[in-house]
Amino acid sequence: MDFNLSADQLEIKELAMKFARLEMMPKAQEYDEKATMPLEILKKAWELGLVNTCIPTEYGGSGFSAMDSMVITEALAYGCMGMNTAIMANDLALLPIVIGGNNEQKKRFLTPFTESYKIASFCLTEPGFGSDAGGIKTLIREDGDDIVINGNKMWITNAGYADLFVLYGTTNPELKHKGITAVVIEKGTPGIELGKKEDKMGHRCSDTRAVTFNNVRVSKKNILGGLNQGWKIAMKTLDHSRPMVAASAVGGAQCAFDHSVKYAKERIQFNVPLSSHQAIQFMISEMAMKIEASRLLVHKAAWLLDNNQPNTQLASYAKAFAADSCMQIATDAVQIYGGYGYSKEYPVEKIMRDAKLIQVYEGTSQIQRLVIAKEIFQRS
Ligand code: CAA
């Protein structure tokens, strides 16, 4: 067993951390206030090879392992969790193509993402179906060599800028998960209607919208894995993307922790620095333990993926534990800063707002516990 990152991983980590500190952190507050997509920062990240980590080398990608992508994600989320969401959502949308696409589809859809900066969206959630993903109602009807798609999607990250959507629909809602079909829809296809940009508590610079698919017609050649084969593709995608989301929670928590330690050494109360007070020491110690435990869970979930072993249970351990820890750590960081922590002039207020979303998207903390219980009671 080796807990060290490889020389290559240390190099990628340094590159991503430098980018986080020099390019993301100085602009994070401004983009949070403006609530607009930081396109020039995202493009720079792409130019450095930090975006679309899941694309294999055969299709022009960097061939990063899952562990590599965790290292990158943690560093980018340290810079700004919102900007990282815009970056990570590309992987979430491209992973179903990597997992379920045939060679022709991978060439057609993945390679353009390696040639210029492009944006992708994963469209699973609907206004009435979030946690209950198997209940989705977006209808996919066969029509000769095409399919026709009708339905509404909600909370779609990157939607306003997406060059490509990976959509999940159903050929028959009564079939539940057995009718789910995954299909790639390119920007400009008639019938795609974007909703207004959501005004969110955190991750404000990432673009989140409803998307309506109104008689959208695409070739059957865009279906991933065949009709009614989409559910397993979605679940396997989440097995990969949930550890990434957990890695982003580690990055956000580490950032809140570093700010808290620095502040605790500087701020004097009762004639001594905060760091001399046991009440603060205990909070800092709790933070440090939770960050280390979260990171180890992320790395184990990624290691299982890289070694072709089932990781569903570990992915949910990592997602739930890291997300809940990040929320606690960010809340305690605000507590350590006291009144200043509640002010937008200091960095921990934004981290606290950003942390909340990690407990909600890509399966709530409650859904992760449900998945863990199913693995324990039904599948082992
Ligand atoms: N890999 C392969 N197969 C899996 C699997 C996995 N990880 N998990 C489940 N399955 C299989 C089961 O074995 C079962 O197969 P059989 O039919 O052969 O028995 C089938 O899938 C159905 O599984 P369940 O009975 O567990 O299904 P369910 O409907 O009761 O619950 C759920 C499934 C785990 C709760 C699922 O609905 C879920 O993950 N919900 C949360 C959805 C989610 O994470 N949404 C996030 C959207 S992305 C996002 O947040 C947007 C963004 O832009 C950031």
Side-chain angles (χ1 to χ4, degrees):
M1 189 180 291
D2 185 354
F3 287 102
N4 292 307
L5 296 180
S6 69
D8 283 350
Q9 285 163 343
L10 286 172
E11 208 173 296
I12 313 167
K13 181 180 171 181
E14 199 185 320
L15 175 77
M17 276 308 288
K18 194 169 162 202
F19 185 79
R21 285 188 200 282
L22 297 183
E23 305 285 347
M24 298 171 91
M25 290 175 102
K27 295 279 178 113
Q29 195 81 15
E30 181 193 326
Y31 276 103
D32 181 67
E33 266 164 37
K34 291 194 300 194
T36 51
M37 275 278 267
L39 283 170
E40 87 282 10
I41 297 176
L42 302 178
K43 189 157 182 281
K44 273 189 199 169
W46 177 84
E47 283 161 1
L48 285 173
L50 299 171
V51 183
N52 308 326
T53 55
C54 68
I55 302 183
T57 43
E58 305 94 281
Y59 306 101
S62 326
F64 283 132
S65 66
M67 186 69 89
D68 298 337
S69 73
M70 302 306 150
V71 170
I72 293 171
T73 302
E74 181 186 329
L76 297 182
Y78 188 101
C80 174
M81 278 195 266
M83 291 182 196
N84 178 65
T85 281
I87 292 172
M88 204 167 49
N90 261 31
D91 273 316
L92 176 65
L94 299 181
L95 275 164
I97 303 171
V98 174
I99 290 166
N102 59 34
N103 189 38
E104 183 276 323
Q105 289 169 329
K106 288 179 188 177
K107 265 195 205 146
R108 186 154 53 104
F109 298 128
L110 298 178
T111 304
F113 277 74
T114 69
E115 293 167 346
S116 64
Y117 177 56
K118 290 187 178 296
I119 297 175
S121 281
F122 178 87
C123 304
L124 174 64
T125 303
E126 299 186 354
F129 297 88
S131 292
D132 182 9
I136 58 169
K137 295 278 179 277
T138 292
L139 210 57
I140 293 185
R141 179 173 56 80
E142 288 186 79
D143 188 16
D145 290 339
D146 296 339
I147 50 168
V148 178
I149 303 149
N150 277 290
N152 300 308
K153 295 291 172 180
M154 190 64 201
W155 309 120
I156 305 305
T157 304
N158 284 348
Y161 297 83
D163 297 288
L164 176 155
F165 300 85
V166 170
L167 172 132
Y168 295 86
T170 174
T171 54
N172 177 356
E174 281 173 19
L175 294 176
K176 291 287 204 168
H177 64 272
K178 292 192 164 64
I180 307 285
T181 302
V183 55
V184 181
I185 305 170
E186 288 172 285
K187 180 184 182 170
T189 309
I192 303 173
E193 295 163 11
L194 298 176
K196 69 168 176 47
K197 180 177 159 63
E198 296 294 331
D199 189 5
K200 308 190 297 291
M201 174 198 283
H203 298 238
R204 290 177 53 75
C205 72
S206 86
D207 189 87
T208 312
R209 294 171 197 257
V211 188
T212 299
F213 293 85
N214 193 0
N215 278 322
V216 172
R217 178 178 288 271
V218 293
S219 161
K220 281 183 176 167
K221 288 184 181 150
N222 285 20
I223 298 171
L224 301 173
L227 280 170
N228 302 338
Q229 301 302 314
W231 180 255
K232 290 258 152 88
I233 295 173
M235 291 299 111
K236 284 186 183 156
T237 296
L238 293 171
D239 286 346
H240 195 119
S241 66
R242 283 174 178 161
M244 286 180 80
V245 175
S248 80
V250 177
Q254 184 70 54
C255 188
F257 174 82
D258 289 351
H259 282 303
S260 302
V261 170
K262 185 166 177 285
Y263 189 75
K265 286 180 184 166
E266 289 167 4
R267 171 85 168 153
I268 307 292
Q269 288 294 282
F270 303 101
N271 300 319
V272 291
L274 288 185
S275 58
S276 298
H277 294 289
Q278 198 179 51
I280 302 295
Q281 290 172 358
F282 281 12
M283 286 165 92
I284 294 284
S285 302
E286 282 288 332
M287 289 178 173
M289 285 191 285
K290 286 189 171 141
I291 291 169
E292 188 64 13
S294 301
R295 187 178 286 121
L296 288 171
L297 285 173
V298 169
H299 287 189
K300 181 154 186 203
W303 182 89
L304 289 169
L305 276 174
D306 286 334
N307 287 279
N308 297 316
Q309 293 185 42
N311 82 329
T312 304
Q313 199 166 334
L314 255 295
S316 287
Y317 287 179
K319 167 72 168 65
F321 191 82
D324 293 351
S325 298
C326 181
M327 190 67 234
Q328 184 65 56
I329 289 163
T331 308
D332 286 349
V334 170
Q335 192 71 14
I336 288 169
Y337 271 72
Y340 295 103
Y342 208 63
S343 163
K344 284 187 188 292
E345 274 182 45
Y346 290 80
V348 289
E349 173 267 350
K350 174 180 176 298
I351 300 176
M352 184 173 163
R353 285 186 285 108
D354 287 346
K356 186 62 213 168
L357 185 58
I358 312 285
Q359 291 181 301
V360 175
Y361 71 11
E362 290 200 37
T364 61
S365 290
Q366 289 68 32
I367 284 294
Q368 304 312 323
R369 286 166 172 82
L370 198 78
V371 170
I372 294 164
K374 279 190 187 220
E375 291 294 314
I376 292 169
F377 289 116
Q378 292 175 15
R379 297 189 186 119
S380 60

